[in-house]
Amino acid sequence: MLPLTSLATLSDDLHSGKTSSRELVEACLARATDPAGEGMRTYLEIDADGARSAADQIDAARRAGREQRSLAGIPISIKDLFDVQGQVTRAGSAVLADAPPATQDAEAVARLRAAGFV
């Protein structure tokens, strides 16, 4: 598991090739799903496939020499109060579990994606 560190260090490590977005995603997924941790109580939904796919796309773009934003490839979690396109926004409530999925990202989520966060 990768140690906890700053966004600046993660960005530097990604840009230098010391780590990959996929490695960061896998480390975050391991923490989030660790039975001894709080992840399973903290997260209502974990889009592991989506995170892996986004990380792989960013890693491929970086290998191809395409310029990346400074925070591109860093995993982030989104609180269940913000709409994420294709996911149900439950706001932590079982009452909303059967609500339809969001049709678009909330502005904050759209900005995080535009910055390159996974």
Side-chain angles (χ1 to χ4, degrees), residues 7 10 14 19-29 43 45-62 68-79 84 87 105 108-118:
L7 287 174
L10 290 174
L14 283 166
T19 193
S20 68
S21 181
R22 180 61 178 258
E23 289 175 307
L24 296 179
V25 164
E26 293 298 343
C28 288
L29 290 172
Y43 300 107
E45 182 173 341
I46 297 174
D47 184 9
D49 292 339
R52 287 179 177 120
S53 176
D56 290 345
Q57 289 174 18
I58 290 170
D59 287 340
R62 188 170 276 120
Q68 300 291 307
R69 292 181 174 262
S70 64
L71 301 173
I74 298 174
I76 190 168
S77 63
I78 306 294
K79 189 163 180 75
V84 175
Q87 296 181 11
D105 288 335
V109 174
R111 289 180 182 203
L112 289 168
R113 287 190 202 269
F117 282 99
V118 173

